[in-house]
């Protein structure tokens, strides 16, 4: 478990995060489902990660253009207007250096190859669960 | 009028039956962990959002599959969303039916899609009904001055 100072940006009345990190970890969730965005954001926030959630690739690009930066961007692989690979490719073209993870309940192999070829780093399976994202956060925090 | 201990037992037994029948899976229990004093109604709120999302997706799918020229990309995107959201709240049987649905969509098999749509609507109605009953039981316990037992 990573030790260090607790995440500085905590909302008034929020409870203490379940884990604390050396660095100020920031995550962006890109997911068309509002149910998944709420759950994903609640999970990551409860683990001390400052999290934003948007519903599609365009909204993610807008945030980046406005100067936001993230340690990790988790991208729904099967959004309507663009898939995970298309989103990843555009983010890399914009100069985004964040860890890019494709998220889905299940994958076809060609989809995974496409995502990695587009500049993605790896995958995380939906539904989000601490056992899946904590190791990733620990790795990010240690780099 | 049942006392608190009886209501609590009813809730525990009812919840257990939902897991036993495979209507809910472990992910639903995980949601409870996200509920706390700063977020006391998290589970009910997320589940209500799931109901709204699902109804919209199911209506959309019904419309899309009844067009002359079916837009299978739209079908696929909606099924993926439904699969993802149902998995996130632990609605296991809804998620399972989406697997076949997704395959039929990729094969552009209208018959298969229509059959799957019926199955999904059926499973969705079941999980909605059961969760509403579960939340009602919780409300009864709280109204009687009791606390909700958590595993």
């Amino acid at each position: 478990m990573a030790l260090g100072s607790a995440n500085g940006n905590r909302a008034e009345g929020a409870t203490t995060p379940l884990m604390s990190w050396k660095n100020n970890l920031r995550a962006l969730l890109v997911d068309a489902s509002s149910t998944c965005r709420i759950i994903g954001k609640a999970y990551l926030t409860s683990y001390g990660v400052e999290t934003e959630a948007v519903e599609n690739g365009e909204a993610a690009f807008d945030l980046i253009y406005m100067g936001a930066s993230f340690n990790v961007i988790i991208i729904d692989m099967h959004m309507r207007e663009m898939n995970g690979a298309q989103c990843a490719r555009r983010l890399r073209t914009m100069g985004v250096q964040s860890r890019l993870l494709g998220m889905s309940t299940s994958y076809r192999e060609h989809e995974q190859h496409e995502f990695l070829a587009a500049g993605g780093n790896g995958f995380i399976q939906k539904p989000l669960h601490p056992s899946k994202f904590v190791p990733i956060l620990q790795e990010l925090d240690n780099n | 009028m049942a006392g608190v201990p009886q209501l609590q037992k009813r809730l525990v037994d009812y919840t257990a039956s939902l897991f036993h029948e495979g209507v809910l899976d472990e992910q639903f229990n995980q949601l409870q962990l996200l509920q706390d004093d700063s977020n006391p109604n998290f589970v009910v709120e997320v589940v209500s959002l799931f109901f709204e999302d699902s109804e919209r997706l199911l209506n959309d799918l019904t419309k899309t599959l009844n067009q002359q020229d079916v837009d299978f990309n739209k079908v696929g995107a909606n099924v993926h969303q439904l699969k993802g959201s149902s998995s996130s709240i632990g609605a296991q049987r809804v998620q399972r039916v989406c697997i076949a649905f997704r395959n039929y969509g990729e094969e552009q098999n209208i018959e298969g899609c229509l059959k799957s749509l019926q199955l999904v609507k059926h499973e969705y109605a079941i999980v909605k009904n059961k969760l509403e009953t579960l939340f009602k039981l919780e409300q009864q316990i709280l109204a009687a001055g009791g606390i909700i037992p958590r595993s």
Side-chain angles (χ1 to χ4, degrees):
Chain A
M1 174 164 162
L3 297 170
S5 55
N7 188 312
N9 298 340
R10 224 177 302 141
E12 176 108 44
T15 41
T16 314
L18 294 166
M19 285 183 83
S20 50
W21 310 97
K22 292 193 287 253
N23 301 290
N24 195 21
L25 293 181
R26 292 172 48 83
L28 174 63
L29 278 176
V30 188
D31 195 323
S33 160
S34 45
T35 309
C36 293
R37 287 198 302 274
I38 301 271
I39 293 175
K41 189 170 175 181
Y43 259 131
L44 290 168
T45 306
S46 74
Y47 276 81
V49 180
E50 205 181 305
T51 311
E52 301 222 35
V54 294
E55 69 175 313
N56 55 38
E58 287 300 331
F61 306 146
D62 286 344
L63 274 184
I64 308 285
Y65 276 132
M66 289 196 293
S69 73
F70 305 94
N71 301 93
V72 61
I73 303 179
I74 300 176
I75 308 165
D76 178 359
M77 294 281 282
H78 305 105
M79 294 180 289
R80 174 97 197 279
E81 309 85 357
M82 73 178 76
N83 62 27
Q86 290 166 318
C87 188
R89 182 168 294 114
R90 177 89 175 267
L91 286 169
R92 289 303 187 215
T93 308
M94 289 169 70
V96 169
Q97 313 234 299
S98 321
R99 183 76 54 92
L100 300 183
L101 299 177
M103 175 173 60
S104 180
T105 49
S106 62
Y107 309 88
R108 299 277 197 262
E109 219 179 289
H110 75 264
E111 290 169 344
Q112 290 186 296
H113 286 149
E114 232 182 44
F115 185 76
L116 295 173
N121 299 103
F123 305 94
I124 183 166
Q125 216 197 359
K126 201 183 251 191
L128 281 187
H129 187 278
S131 64
K132 295 170 193 163
F133 62 72
V134 166
I136 293 171
L137 296 175
Q138 284 173 325
E139 201 204 326
L140 284 170
D141 196 41
N142 286 326
N143 281 343
Chain B
M1 177 70 185
V4 167
Q6 290 95 323
L7 289 171
Q8 288 172 326
K9 181 169 192 317
R10 207 179 284 174
L11 175 66
V12 168
D13 289 346
Y14 189 71
T15 309
S17 75
L18 298 188
F19 282 88
H20 188 68
E21 291 162 18
V23 174
L24 294 177
D25 66 27
E26 181 52 31
Q27 194 66 15
F28 183 76
N29 275 338
Q30 293 296 323
L31 289 184
Q32 309 286 358
L33 300 176
L34 295 170
Q35 186 159 290
D36 57 26
D37 292 338
S38 72
N39 229 338
N41 299 310
F42 182 75
V43 179
V44 171
E45 284 171 5
V46 162
V47 170
S48 302
L49 195 51
F50 169 70
F51 291 160
E52 269 176 48
D53 275 358
S54 301
E55 271 149 44
R56 184 181 42 84
L57 290 168
L58 290 171
N59 284 337
D60 224 38
L61 280 164
T62 306
K63 230 183 344 191
T64 309
L65 285 168
N66 284 299
Q67 304 277 335
Q68 275 282 43
D69 264 313
V70 175
D71 181 350
F72 284 102
N73 281 333
K74 205 165 171 204
V75 172
N78 282 344
V79 173
H80 270 294
Q81 242 197 86
L82 188 54
K83 186 158 181 270
S85 56
S86 56
S87 76
S88 297
I89 68 138
Q92 187 177 240
R93 295 203 324 218
V94 175
Q95 183 192 354
R96 289 240 176 94
V97 181
C98 286
I99 297 174
F101 202 159
R102 177 209 198 185
N103 292 334
Y104 285 129
E106 286 178 351
E107 293 163 15
Q108 308 214 347
N109 179 338
I110 300 220
E111 279 303 306
C113 283
L114 288 171
K115 216 174 22 186
S116 294
L117 179 61
Q118 284 317 305
L119 283 173
V120 170
K121 283 180 172 175
H122 177 73
E123 290 300 342
Y124 169 72
I126 290 174
V127 73
K128 180 165 195 235
N129 181 276
K130 304 251 179 191
L131 283 171
E132 284 174 339
T133 304
L134 191 145
F135 293 144
K136 230 174 266 170
L137 282 171
E138 289 186 347
Q139 285 309 307
Q140 285 176 340
I141 293 171
L142 294 174
I147 58 156
I148 296 166
R150 299 275 180 225
S151 49

